[in-house]
Amino acid sequence: MDILNTTFLDNTFLSWLIAAGMIIASIIIIKTVKVVVIKRLKNWAMNTKTTWDNFIIEVVDKSVLPILYISSFYFALLTLKLPDNINKVIHIAYMFSFTFFILKIISAAFKKFVYSFIQRSEESESKQKQAGGLIAIVNIIIWICGLIFLIDNMGYNVTTLIAGLGVGGIAIALAAQAVLGDLFSYFVIFFDRPFEIGDFVVLGDDNGVIEYIGIKTTRIRTLSGEQLICSNTDLTNSRLRNYKRMEKRRIVFSLGVTYQTTHSQLAEIPNIVKGIIDSQSQLQFDRGHFSGYGDFSLNFEFVYFVLDADYNLYMDNQQKVYLEIFSAFEKEGIDFAYPTQTIIMDKEIKLN
């Protein structure tokens, strides 16, 4: 009993044993929970359809349990009488560790939320690459807020710091209006999704495939091969044609035949062209009409749809249609018109 009452560093041996017992008991309990409960929950989560349960278990394993370990040491040490400077160091260390793991949980939860939102749509892999900028920005905000929270809980007055950040933020906003404009446009592109990586777009006289969407700029690989770099603000403020979203392509073409074409041949031309277009499984005939009398030709107009947005597929089918029209007209003896002029000369002969 005398040993238990022996004083060491202003604490009895019994107080040290109690603190050590609290730490050991906490570690044993946490280890038991990890080995028995967490392991079983992981096996259960592997058989569920949702991924949120896996995420929660992973967060508990990698962040919550470390907080419990640190807290067990912290609260055990609080039972001891230690010098003020040591208590202050222990408190600061605990607050740093606690804040770090809490911010880690918040950051991971936001990242998981964004990726879950993305996976609901198509092209989720490309959207995940695009989401990197958004996650980085939000993480910076989260860690800044966490740092302010930590400083406040350490007993410092953060009012002046927040006011300074506000004034500094206004100065930065005024100095970097263009950058902030592109940043907000990035958020518009991410959430509104006017285009995505891999989409073929036309912007004014330029066209190409979206290759990368960043916080400030978007990069387009043009058909001629070079990379076109546009600011996000320019893209959101412009009229942009997204051909990747096109479900089917409407094609209008005209052809002209000579005035020597007979009435029966003219009446048959729409049926000939319709039969050629209908024979292609990826095409859908819309209409065909004798549209008018030209200066040197009898004109027809035809409309059909390509049931796919692929440009190469459209060109392949258009070539087939044109070649078969040429072959069919050749068999029917129908001549295509080309610019000609017929000059009629009236020669008047005067006899004396």
Side-chain angles (χ1 to χ4, degrees):
M1 297 297 294
D2 292 336
I3 296 175
L4 295 178
N5 293 324
T6 303
T7 302
F8 177 71
L9 296 177
D10 296 330
N11 293 279
T12 63
F13 190 65
L14 179 61
S15 299
W16 287 104
L17 285 177
I18 293 173
M22 290 176 62
I23 294 172
I24 293 171
S26 299
I27 291 175
I28 292 173
I29 294 171
I30 295 170
K31 282 286 187 182
T32 304
V33 170
K34 182 176 182 180
V35 172
V36 178
V37 179
I38 300 297
K39 188 175 180 179
R40 290 183 179 179
L41 287 176
K42 282 183 178 180
N43 294 331
W44 168 77
M46 293 295 292
N47 299 320
T48 60
K49 294 181 180 180
T50 179
T51 59
W52 276 98
D53 49 7
N54 302 76
F55 168 75
I56 293 172
I57 294 170
E58 185 179 359
V59 166
V60 170
D61 188 23
K62 293 185 177 181
S63 297
V64 176
L65 292 184
I67 290 176
L68 295 177
Y69 280 123
I70 296 169
S71 297
S72 65
F73 278 88
Y74 176 69
F75 289 110
L77 292 175
L78 287 180
T79 63
L80 301 173
K81 295 179 181 180
L82 299 173
D84 292 339
N85 56 344
I86 295 178
N87 278 329
K88 187 175 181 180
V89 170
I90 293 172
H91 177 72
I92 292 173
Y94 176 72
M95 290 304 301
F96 264 105
S97 303
F98 183 83
T99 304
F100 171 78
F101 283 108
I102 291 297
L103 293 178
K104 189 177 176 182
I105 293 172
I106 296 173
S107 178
F110 176 76
K111 184 177 180 180
K112 176 63 178 175
F113 171 77
V114 171
Y115 283 165
S116 298
F117 174 77
I118 290 171
Q119 288 171 357
R120 297 175 186 174
S121 62
E122 299 178 358
E123 305 291 339
S124 60
E125 186 175 348
S126 63
K127 291 290 289 182
Q128 286 182 8
K129 296 178 182 178
Q130 182 185 342
L134 173 65
I135 292 173
I137 293 169
V138 174
N139 278 338
I140 291 172
I141 297 172
I142 290 172
W143 286 92
I144 290 175
C145 293
L147 182 61
I148 295 173
F149 167 81
L150 177 62
I151 294 172
D152 183 56
N153 279 271
M154 288 169 60
Y156 296 98
N157 187 2
V158 297
T159 306
T160 306
L161 177 61
I162 294 174
L165 288 175
V167 174
I170 294 173
I172 293 172
L174 292 174
Q177 293 183 48
V179 176
L180 292 176
D182 289 329
L183 178 60
F184 284 115
S185 295
Y186 168 78
F187 289 136
V188 171
I189 293 171
F190 182 82
F191 289 106
D192 193 42
R193 296 188 296 178
F195 54 82
E196 299 176 357
I197 294 174
D199 289 3
F200 182 84
V201 299
V202 175
L203 179 66
D205 296 330
D206 300 306
N207 53 63
V209 178
I210 302 293
E211 194 172 63
Y212 172 81
I213 302 174
I215 295 175
K216 188 179 188 308
T217 62
T218 295
R219 298 166 196 174
I220 302 172
R221 182 67 61 181
T222 65
L223 293 178
S224 55
E226 74 272 14
Q227 190 180 69
L228 178 67
I229 301 174
C230 305
S231 69
N232 293 332
T233 304
D234 288 342
L235 291 175
T236 54
N237 290 339
S238 302
R239 291 186 177 182
L240 184 144
R241 300 189 180 194
N242 190 338
Y243 282 89
K244 184 71 175 291
R245 306 281 175 85
M246 182 171 58
E247 296 180 358
K248 58 183 180 179
R249 188 185 296 268
R250 183 175 185 268
I251 310 300
V252 179
F253 73 94
S254 301
L255 57 84
V257 296
T258 62
Y259 272 89
Q260 285 73 33
T261 307
T262 64
H263 178 273
S264 60
Q265 289 176 323
L266 288 176
E268 190 62 26
I269 287 175
N271 295 327
I272 294 174
V273 176
K274 182 179 185 299
I276 291 171
I277 293 175
D278 286 340
S279 66
Q280 306 296 324
S281 61
Q282 295 164 322
L283 304 184
Q284 177 185 337
F285 182 81
D286 184 45
R287 63 177 179 82
H289 296 94
F290 178 24
S291 60
Y293 296 90
D295 293 336
F296 53 84
S297 63
L298 302 172
N299 298 324
F300 286 81
E301 183 179 81
F302 298 94
V303 179
Y304 68 92
F305 293 95
V306 183
L307 305 179
D308 195 292
D310 187 278
Y311 187 79
N312 289 331
L313 179 67
Y314 150 60
M315 290 301 295
D316 290 342
N317 280 280
Q318 180 177 260
Q319 178 177 260
K320 290 178 184 178
V321 168
Y322 285 177
L323 288 174
E324 291 192 26
I325 289 175
F326 191 93
S327 176
F329 279 22
E330 193 175 40
K331 290 179 182 178
E332 296 294 330
I334 302 172
D335 295 325
F336 288 98
Y338 52 89
T340 56
Q341 278 188 331
T342 301
I343 300 175
I344 300 175
M345 301 180 65
D346 185 9
K347 186 178 180 181
E348 184 178 348
I349 301 175
K350 293 182 180 181
L351 298 176
N352 293 328

